[in-house]
PDB file of all heavy atoms in Angstrom:
ATOM      1  N   ALA A 190      11.215  23.065  20.215  1.00 83.00           N
ATOM      2  CA  ALA A 190      11.726  23.609  18.710  1.00 83.00           C
ATOM      3  C   ALA A 190      11.183  22.472  17.814  1.00 83.00           C
ATOM      4  O   ALA A 190      11.793  21.427  17.746  1.00 83.00           O
ATOM      5  CB  ALA A 190      13.129  23.697  18.827  1.00 83.00           C
ATOM      6  N   TYR A 191      10.062  22.959  17.078  1.00 88.00           N
ATOM      7  CA  TYR A 191       9.572  21.848  16.232  1.00 88.00           C
ATOM      8  C   TYR A 191       9.869  22.117  14.726  1.00 88.00           C
ATOM      9  O   TYR A 191       9.943  21.282  13.916  1.00 88.00           O
ATOM     10  CB  TYR A 191       7.976  21.910  16.218  1.00 88.00           C
ATOM     11  CG  TYR A 191       7.425  21.240  17.459  1.00 88.00           C
ATOM     12  CD1 TYR A 191       7.218  21.966  18.639  1.00 88.00           C
ATOM     13  CD2 TYR A 191       7.247  19.918  17.545  1.00 88.00           C
ATOM     14  CE1 TYR A 191       6.621  21.344  19.785  1.00 88.00           C
ATOM     15  CE2 TYR A 191       6.720  19.302  18.793  1.00 88.00           C
ATOM     16  CZ  TYR A 191       6.462  20.004  19.929  1.00 88.00           C
ATOM     17  OH  TYR A 191       6.001  19.514  20.910  1.00 88.00           O
ATOM     18  N   ILE A 192      10.256  23.386  14.427  1.00 90.00           N
ATOM     19  CA  ILE A 192      10.328  23.737  12.981  1.00 90.00           C
ATOM     20  C   ILE A 192      11.483  23.012  12.304  1.00 90.00           C
ATOM     21  O   ILE A 192      11.382  22.479  11.286  1.00 90.00           O
ATOM     22  CB  ILE A 192      10.425  25.181  12.813  1.00 90.00           C
ATOM     23  CG1 ILE A 192      10.508  25.648  11.273  1.00 90.00           C
ATOM     24  CG2 ILE A 192      11.610  25.782  13.503  1.00 90.00           C
ATOM     25  CD1 ILE A 192      10.386  27.041  11.030  1.00 90.00           C
ATOM     26  N   GLU A 193      12.595  22.990  13.101  1.00 91.00           N
ATOM     27  CA  GLU A 193      13.726  22.204  12.460  1.00 91.00           C
ATOM     28  C   GLU A 193      13.507  20.677  12.344  1.00 91.00           C
ATOM     29  O   GLU A 193      13.808  20.152  11.323  1.00 91.00           O
ATOM     30  CB  GLU A 193      15.035  22.551  13.320  1.00 91.00           C
ATOM     31  CG  GLU A 193      15.522  23.912  13.279  1.00 91.00           C
ATOM     32  CD  GLU A 193      14.754  24.752  14.395  1.00 91.00           C
ATOM     33  OE1 GLU A 193      13.991  24.148  15.121  1.00 91.00           O
ATOM     34  OE2 GLU A 193      15.119  25.959  14.604  1.00 91.00           O
ATOM     35  N   ALA A 194      12.887  20.241  13.226  1.00 92.00           N
ATOM     36  CA  ALA A 194      12.659  18.744  13.414  1.00 92.00           C
ATOM     37  C   ALA A 194      11.623  18.319  12.239  1.00 92.00           C
ATOM     38  O   ALA A 194      11.870  17.403  11.616  1.00 92.00           O
ATOM     39  CB  ALA A 194      12.057  18.371  14.751  1.00 92.00           C
ATOM     40  N   LEU A 195      10.652  19.174  12.032  1.00 92.00           N
ATOM     41  CA  LEU A 195       9.586  18.785  11.055  1.00 92.00           C
ATOM     42  C   LEU A 195      10.147  19.030   9.674  1.00 92.00           C
ATOM     43  O   LEU A 195       9.872  18.359   8.727  1.00 92.00           O
ATOM     44  CB  LEU A 195       8.293  19.549  11.385  1.00 92.00           C
ATOM     45  CG  LEU A 195       7.542  19.236  12.678  1.00 92.00           C
ATOM     46  CD1 LEU A 195       6.327  20.079  12.730  1.00 92.00           C
ATOM     47  CD2 LEU A 195       7.152  17.644  12.627  1.00 92.00           C
ATOM     48  N   THR A 196      10.915  20.064   9.697  1.00 93.00           N
ATOM     49  CA  THR A 196      11.632  20.272   8.331  1.00 93.00           C
ATOM     50  C   THR A 196      12.514  19.097   7.897  1.00 93.00           C
ATOM     51  O   THR A 196      12.510  18.627   6.766  1.00 93.00           O
ATOM     52  CB  THR A 196      12.515  21.565   8.303  1.00 93.00           C
ATOM     53  OG1 THR A 196      11.666  22.708   8.736  1.00 93.00           O
ATOM     54  CG2 THR A 196      13.292  21.796   6.988  1.00 93.00           C
ATOM     55  N   ILE A 197      13.139  18.466   8.879  1.00 94.00           N
ATOM     56  CA  ILE A 197      13.979  17.275   8.580  1.00 94.00           C
ATOM     57  C   ILE A 197      13.059  16.125   8.155  1.00 94.00           C
ATOM     58  O   ILE A 197      13.431  15.429   7.112  1.00 94.00           O
ATOM     59  CB  ILE A 197      14.836  16.853   9.812  1.00 94.00           C
ATOM     60  CG1 ILE A 197      15.919  17.957  10.067  1.00 94.00           C
ATOM     61  CG2 ILE A 197      15.509  15.618   9.687  1.00 94.00           C
ATOM     62  CD1 ILE A 197      16.576  17.731  11.418  1.00 94.00           C
ATOM     63  N   VAL A 198      12.017  16.020   8.625  1.00 93.00           N
ATOM     64  CA  VAL A 198      11.041  14.965   8.343  1.00 93.00           C
ATOM     65  C   VAL A 198      10.603  15.099   6.870  1.00 93.00           C
ATOM     66  O   VAL A 198      10.593  14.156   5.991  1.00 93.00           O
ATOM     67  CB  VAL A 198       9.710  14.988   9.170  1.00 93.00           C
ATOM     68  CG1 VAL A 198       8.683  13.960   8.668  1.00 93.00           C
ATOM     69  CG2 VAL A 198      10.093  14.530  10.656  1.00 93.00           C
ATOM     70  N   GLY A 199      10.385  16.450   6.475  1.00 92.00           N
ATOM     71  CA  GLY A 199       9.895  16.720   5.102  1.00 92.00           C
ATOM     72  C   GLY A 199      10.970  16.539   4.095  1.00 92.00           C
ATOM     73  O   GLY A 199      10.805  15.826   3.019  1.00 92.00           O
ATOM     74  N   LEU A 200      12.220  16.755   4.584  1.00 93.00           N
ATOM     75  CA  LEU A 200      13.369  16.667   3.553  1.00 93.00           C
ATOM     76  C   LEU A 200      13.608  15.025   3.386  1.00 93.00           C
ATOM     77  O   LEU A 200      13.904  14.660   2.328  1.00 93.00           O
ATOM     78  CB  LEU A 200      14.604  17.317   4.090  1.00 93.00           C
ATOM     79  CG  LEU A 200      14.619  18.784   4.156  1.00 93.00           C
ATOM     80  CD1 LEU A 200      15.841  19.422   4.883  1.00 93.00           C
ATOM     81  CD2 LEU A 200      14.512  19.286   2.684  1.00 93.00           C
ATOM     82  N   ILE A 201      13.469  14.340   4.557  1.00 92.00           N
ATOM     83  CA  ILE A 201      13.748  12.873   4.263  1.00 92.00           C
ATOM     84  C   ILE A 201      12.675  12.282   3.373  1.00 92.00           C
ATOM     85  O   ILE A 201      12.944  11.414   2.423  1.00 92.00           O
ATOM     86  CB  ILE A 201      13.688  12.211   5.640  1.00 92.00           C
ATOM     87  CG1 ILE A 201      14.993  12.580   6.549  1.00 92.00           C
ATOM     88  CG2 ILE A 201      13.681  10.636   5.613  1.00 92.00           C
ATOM     89  CD1 ILE A 201      15.001  12.116   7.919  1.00 92.00           C
ATOM     90  N   LEU A 202      11.394  12.679   3.608  1.00 91.00           N
ATOM     91  CA  LEU A 202      10.390  12.103   2.778  1.00 91.00           C
ATOM     92  C   LEU A 202      10.556  12.542   1.459  1.00 91.00           C
ATOM     93  O   LEU A 202      10.323  11.812   0.453  1.00 91.00           O
ATOM     94  CB  LEU A 202       8.987  12.568   3.285  1.00 91.00           C
ATOM     95  CG  LEU A 202       8.526  11.904   4.653  1.00 91.00           C
ATOM     96  CD1 LEU A 202       7.214  12.541   5.145  1.00 91.00           C
ATOM     97  CD2 LEU A 202       8.444  10.469   4.616  1.00 91.00           C
ATOM     98  N   LEU A 203      10.958  13.747   1.037  1.00 90.00           N
ATOM     99  CA  LEU A 203      11.329  14.143  -0.270  1.00 90.00           C
ATOM    100  C   LEU A 203      12.265  13.480  -0.927  1.00 90.00           C
ATOM    101  O   LEU A 203      12.353  13.044  -2.051  1.00 90.00           O
ATOM    102  CB  LEU A 203      11.496  15.643  -0.250  1.00 90.00           C
ATOM    103  CG  LEU A 203      11.854  16.285  -1.557  1.00 90.00           C
ATOM    104  CD1 LEU A 203      10.695  16.225  -2.468  1.00 90.00           C
ATOM    105  CD2 LEU A 203      12.170  17.736  -1.353  1.00 90.00           C
ATOM    106  N   ALA A 204      13.451  13.331  -0.020  1.00 90.00           N
ATOM    107  CA  ALA A 204      14.593  12.621  -0.586  1.00 90.00           C
ATOM    108  C   ALA A 204      14.322  11.121  -1.001  1.00 90.00           C
ATOM    109  O   ALA A 204      15.024  10.569  -1.961  1.00 90.00           O
ATOM    110  CB  ALA A 204      15.806  12.730   0.337  1.00 90.00           C
ATOM    111  N   LEU A 205      13.403  10.529  -0.413  1.00 88.00           N
ATOM    112  CA  LEU A 205      13.082   9.162  -0.739  1.00 88.00           C
ATOM    113  C   LEU A 205      11.944   8.993  -1.698  1.00 88.00           C
ATOM    114  O   LEU A 205      11.998   8.073  -2.583  1.00 88.00           O
ATOM    115  CB  LEU A 205      12.679   8.389   0.614  1.00 88.00           C
ATOM    116  CG  LEU A 205      13.848   8.312   1.701  1.00 88.00           C
ATOM    117  CD1 LEU A 205      13.293   7.633   2.961  1.00 88.00           C
ATOM    118  CD2 LEU A 205      15.043   7.507   1.064  1.00 88.00           C
ATOM    119  N   SER A 206      10.915   9.785  -1.586  1.00 86.00           N
ATOM    120  CA  SER A 206       9.728   9.659  -2.405  1.00 86.00           C
ATOM    121  C   SER A 206       9.945  10.124  -3.956  1.00 86.00           C
ATOM    122  O   SER A 206       9.507   9.559  -4.878  1.00 86.00           O
ATOM    123  CB  SER A 206       8.621  10.296  -1.723  1.00 86.00           C
ATOM    124  OG  SER A 206       8.754  11.713  -1.705  1.00 86.00           O
ATOM    125  N   TYR A 207      10.794  11.361  -4.000  1.00 86.00           N
ATOM    126  CA  TYR A 207      10.846  11.894  -5.335  1.00 86.00           C
ATOM    127  C   TYR A 207      11.635  10.896  -6.319  1.00 86.00           C
ATOM    128  O   TYR A 207      11.135  10.607  -7.417  1.00 86.00           O
ATOM    129  CB  TYR A 207      11.484  13.238  -5.225  1.00 86.00           C
ATOM    130  CG  TYR A 207      11.686  13.881  -6.657  1.00 86.00           C
ATOM    131  CD1 TYR A 207      10.538  14.528  -7.267  1.00 86.00           C
ATOM    132  CD2 TYR A 207      12.775  13.888  -7.273  1.00 86.00           C
ATOM    133  CE1 TYR A 207      10.631  14.970  -8.563  1.00 86.00           C
ATOM    134  CE2 TYR A 207      12.939  14.475  -8.558  1.00 86.00           C
ATOM    135  CZ  TYR A 207      11.856  15.059  -9.107  1.00 86.00           C
ATOM    136  OH  TYR A 207      12.036  15.534 -10.412  1.00 86.00           O
ATOM    137  N   PRO A 208      12.794  10.429  -5.885  1.00 86.00           N
ATOM    138  CA  PRO A 208      13.426   9.512  -6.811  1.00 86.00           C
ATOM    139  C   PRO A 208      12.583   8.243  -7.129  1.00 86.00           C
ATOM    140  O   PRO A 208      12.617   7.723  -8.292  1.00 86.00           O
ATOM    141  CB  PRO A 208      14.759   8.998  -6.032  1.00 86.00           C
ATOM    142  CG  PRO A 208      14.791  10.160  -5.075  1.00 86.00           C
ATOM    143  CD  PRO A 208      13.612  10.691  -4.667  1.00 86.00           C
ATOM    144  N   SER A 209      11.791   7.863  -6.189  1.00 83.00           N
ATOM    145  CA  SER A 209      10.878   6.614  -6.339  1.00 83.00           C
ATOM    146  C   SER A 209       9.879   7.040  -7.376  1.00 83.00           C
ATOM    147  O   SER A 209       9.451   6.207  -8.253  1.00 83.00           O
ATOM    148  CB  SER A 209      10.185   6.239  -4.982  1.00 83.00           C
ATOM    149  OG  SER A 209      11.199   5.851  -4.071  1.00 83.00           O
TER     150      SER A 209
END
Side-chain angles (χ1 to χ4, degrees):
Y191 287 92
I192 184 170
E193 294 86 359
L195 294 178
T196 298
I197 293 171
V198 171
L200 291 175
I201 291 175
L202 292 175
L203 178 63
L205 294 176
S206 62
Y207 181 75
S209 300

